[in-house]
Amino acid sequence: MDKKTNKGKLKAGWLLVLAVAMLLTACSSNNGGNTQPSNSPTTNPPTENANANTDDVEVKEDPLKLDIMIAAFSTDLPDDNSPIIKALEEYTNTDVNVQFVPNSSYPDKVNITLVSGEIPHIMVVDRNSASFINAARAGAFWDVGPYLKDYPNLAQAHEVTLNNTSIDGKNYGIYRSRVLGRMGVTLNVDWMNNLGLSAPTTIDEFYNILKAFKEDDPDQNGKDDTYGIVVSKYSGPWDIMQVWFGAPNKWGEDENGQLLPTHMFPEYREALKFFRQLYEEGLVNEDFAVMDSAAWNDPFVNGKAGAFVDVADNARRLDNAMQEKAPRDTPYTDVFQAPVGPKGHRDMPTSGYNGMLAISKSSVKTEEELKRVLKFLDQLNDVEMKLLLERGVEGRHYEMVDGHIKSLINDDPALLKEIESLNQMLMYIGPEAPSIEQTPLNEKINAVQKANEEIVVGNPAEPLISEVYAQLGQQMDNIIADARIQYIVGQIDDAGLDAAIELWKKNGGDDYIAEINELYQQIK
């Protein structure tokens, strides 16, 4: 081939390239200027309508790569071949690497990870851990609070729990929800029926039930051998009932907007007067201050006491223990919400969470990346993902029977391995997923706990980290706890209670109040 022929072919080739370029330019001028970068994902082939607007063409993003660190409760754990992980990745358009850490060593691993600076995109953290608090304050994690409203499931996070999990007024993670309105009043069904009593709706009615349990022979054995409520040296029942009377949940605002501890409110003292009356009239066990918490259930199970103020689900445990002694088809217990007090319908919540999912700023560097991670976490709260990570793949790990879950795992090691510990990344916010079939008592417990969410009273000081309390908290708590017991049993009067509060104030209480209010004003 001569040079002239070769030059002619090169010229023709360049003309062809130029023609193609002009054609592409003409096409781009007809699509409203919406051009795609050269590395964009492949879109659908063009249709016959060359002038169609491509704004409506959905371009699928590349899978989001995520490293997630969670605690593990087994040594036989899911690998990348787990059908559950594959289904998770397909649903959320992610490429997930789950780092399982034995639960027993998880706190140490978190501390090591925080020091290293090599923090995964998402990790489960303890909000109360000093190392996490320091890392969050130093800017290691995103404050996700302002973004939650933009996601349908995360927007349903409960304000009390968000407050409880915040640090200095900021939410450095999304909490793993636990029952918030967990408290309830458990009563002996047979005693209620024998005496023709109905559920207590007010504190006065609750008192009348306790009195009847003491004085009206509720077990119909002809003996004076019963009483109303059983309490142990665990102070939970007193704390719960204080809130019924209108006392704050640990801390509350006074008329000037200043935070004060609950024992400095008049409603606290009104509650203590009620407790003293219960003690004086023999409606509570005399040995409550020294009773071992391990024996707390025994008087109820053995038919000596008929009322129990604690978590609502203890109604199930009490019934189970009574069923072991004398099995029957109907439960021995029933459970109710707190009675209405002088300040309205109120109850004490739990903290409402067990750990948080925190998002690292070193791995998730931009707000755009953060929003993709939050979308992923929001999707984990869809019913489909709750079922997947809690129960597995339908037809393989479980089946639906009359709207309820029936497990198919049956301790099969291979099936257990596929799902083990994956539920540790669930937050349980938003819509509820189907559950196993419930007994009537369990349904009542669930109903009480759900209704309680509307009446729980938050602790405004929960997110505040006090240095004074870290040093003197145990000593201060003991002063008030001892004074409360002494007041209930009649060893001190109002003057004695006042003296104890003054002692509390002098032994760090005044400094504690000042510090809490300074922190409170900062977050407000």
Side-chain angles (χ1 to χ4, degrees):
M1 181 180 297
D2 58 24
K3 292 183 179 179
K4 184 177 181 180
T5 303
N6 191 40
K7 287 181 179 179
K9 289 186 176 182
L10 286 171
K11 181 178 181 181
W14 280 111
L15 288 172
L16 178 60
V17 170
L18 179 61
V20 171
M22 292 175 65
L23 177 60
L24 290 174
T25 302
C27 290
S28 67
S29 67
N30 290 329
N31 68 2
N34 293 312
T35 58
Q36 294 289 340
S38 59
N39 62 348
S40 294
T42 304
T43 59
N44 294 329
T47 63
E48 294 181 1
N49 182 5
N51 294 323
N53 192 318
T54 59
D55 286 346
D56 296 332
V57 177
E58 182 179 349
V59 179
K60 187 174 182 180
E61 296 177 296
D62 292 332
L64 175 66
K65 292 187 176 182
L66 288 176
D67 294 322
I68 305 174
M69 191 171 94
I70 60 176
F73 294 83
S74 171
T75 56
D76 204 13
L77 297 161
D79 53 32
D80 292 339
N81 294 320
S82 168
I84 297 172
I85 292 181
K86 290 183 179 297
L88 166 68
E89 293 176 329
E90 176 66 24
Y91 187 91
T92 60
N93 189 30
T94 54
D95 180 2
V96 171
N97 172 43
V98 182
Q99 181 183 358
F100 294 101
V101 178
N103 184 61
S104 59
S105 58
Y106 194 82
D108 292 336
K109 178 63 177 178
V110 169
N111 291 336
I112 293 170
T113 301
L114 293 178
V115 171
S116 73
E118 298 295 324
I119 304 175
H121 299 85
I122 301 170
M123 63 186 296
V124 174
V125 297
D126 175 7
R127 177 265 180 207
N128 296 306
S129 162
S131 59
F132 172 70
I133 291 172
N134 292 334
R137 285 174 167 170
F141 295 95
W142 284 92
D143 172 15
V144 299
Y147 302 92
L148 300 183
K149 66 182 186 303
D150 300 326
Y151 300 88
N153 293 322
L154 300 181
Q156 299 180 53
H158 199 287
E159 61 180 10
V160 170
T161 311
L162 285 175
N163 178 69
N164 291 347
T165 55
S166 65
I167 298 171
D168 305 327
K170 297 180 180 180
N171 291 102
Y172 293 105
I174 300 172
Y175 65 80
R176 298 192 302 177
S177 178
R178 297 298 183 264
V179 177
L180 181 68
R182 196 180 175 191
M183 307 309 173
V185 177
T186 299
L187 298 174
N188 183 308
V189 168
D190 292 346
W191 289 14
M192 295 286 286
N193 292 337
N194 290 342
L195 301 177
L197 300 172
S198 56
T201 58
T202 66
I203 292 179
D204 285 343
E205 291 177 0
F206 177 69
Y207 165 78
N208 290 333
I209 286 175
L210 300 185
K211 196 168 184 66
F213 283 177
K214 164 67 177 175
E215 299 178 353
D216 296 346
D217 192 20
D219 57 1
Q220 299 181 339
N221 68 352
K223 299 178 182 179
D224 182 13
D225 59 355
T226 60
Y227 58 93
I229 183 173
V230 57
V231 179
S232 73
K233 63 182 179 181
Y234 164 63
S235 65
W238 304 130
D239 296 335
I240 294 167
M241 289 188 284
Q242 285 169 193
V243 176
W244 298 356
F245 279 83
N249 174 14
K250 298 182 177 66
W251 288 81
E253 284 191 1
D254 67 8
E255 63 276 7
N256 300 315
Q258 183 184 30
L259 287 186
L260 294 174
T262 187
H263 59 260
M264 295 180 69
F265 284 80
E267 293 84 0
Y268 172 86
R269 194 162 305 213
E270 291 303 311
L272 261 60
K273 291 177 181 177
F274 176 75
F275 302 157
R276 174 185 278 187
Q277 182 180 4
L278 298 185
Y279 184 83
E280 289 174 344
E281 297 180 6
L283 308 186
V284 63
N285 50 306
E286 291 184 354
D287 65 343
F288 76 87
V290 296
M291 173 185 275
D292 190 332
S293 299
W296 186 17
N297 290 1
D298 294 349
F300 191 102
V301 172
N302 296 328
K304 297 301 180 183
F308 210 96
V309 174
D310 188 41
V311 294
D313 42 293
N314 203 44
R316 177 175 58 249
R317 288 183 285 274
L318 291 168
D319 179 64
N320 288 342
M322 297 170 84
Q323 294 283 357
E324 289 180 4
K325 297 178 63 176
R328 71 184 195 187
D329 294 334
T330 57
Y332 287 93
T333 63
D334 200 355
V335 64
F336 308 95
Q337 277 190 281
V340 177
K343 298 292 185 178
H345 205 186
R346 300 159 50 92
D347 207 352
M348 192 178 79
T350 66
S351 62
Y353 71 101
N354 180 19
M356 304 191 300
L357 294 172
I359 302 173
S360 161
K361 276 193 170 181
S362 61
S363 297
V364 182
K365 299 181 183 301
T366 68
E367 187 178 45
E368 182 180 0
E369 293 173 323
L370 171 66
K371 290 179 179 180
R372 283 203 69 183
V373 176
L374 287 172
K375 178 183 177 182
F376 166 77
L377 294 176
D378 189 70
Q379 289 177 303
L380 293 192
N381 289 286
D382 289 347
V383 170
E384 294 88 343
M385 289 297 95
K386 289 177 181 176
L387 282 174
L388 178 71
L389 297 177
E390 180 74 29
R391 306 295 180 178
V393 176
E394 185 174 3
R396 179 176 179 84
H397 301 94
Y398 74 92
E399 62 181 355
M400 298 296 299
V401 179
D402 297 328
H404 295 288
I405 299 291
K406 181 181 178 182
S407 177
L408 300 175
I409 294 178
N410 297 322
D411 296 327
D412 184 322
L415 293 178
L416 280 170
K417 176 181 178 178
E418 293 174 351
I419 193 172
E420 178 64 48
S421 296
L422 288 174
N423 62 354
Q424 294 303 301
M425 67 177 79
L426 285 175
M427 292 146 281
Y428 298 104
I429 300 172
E432 294 184 8
S435 62
I436 60 174
E437 188 172 5
Q438 299 289 304
T439 66
L441 180 57
N442 284 340
E443 289 179 349
K444 182 69 177 293
I445 292 168
N446 294 337
V448 166
Q449 293 177 338
K450 185 68 176 176
N452 281 348
E453 292 185 7
E454 301 298 323
I455 65 169
V456 291
V457 179
N459 172 12
E462 188 81 21
L464 308 178
I465 313 299
S466 167
E467 297 297 331
V468 172
Y469 188 82
Q471 298 175 21
L472 302 173
Q474 189 63 58
Q475 176 185 346
M476 291 190 296
D477 286 349
N478 288 341
I479 292 172
I480 298 301
D482 291 345
R484 179 167 63 177
I485 292 172
Q486 291 167 359
Y487 190 93
I488 293 172
V489 302
Q491 293 178 359
I492 62 174
D493 56 11
D494 285 279
L497 184 61
D498 290 336
I501 293 174
E502 286 302 314
L503 179 63
W504 178 88
K505 292 169 68 176
K506 292 177 181 178
N507 282 269
D510 281 336
D511 292 336
Y512 186 23
I513 292 173
E515 181 189 29
I516 285 294
N517 278 280
E518 181 179 351
L519 295 170
Y520 190 50
Q521 292 304 317
Q522 290 174 7
I523 68 170
K524 288 179 71 175

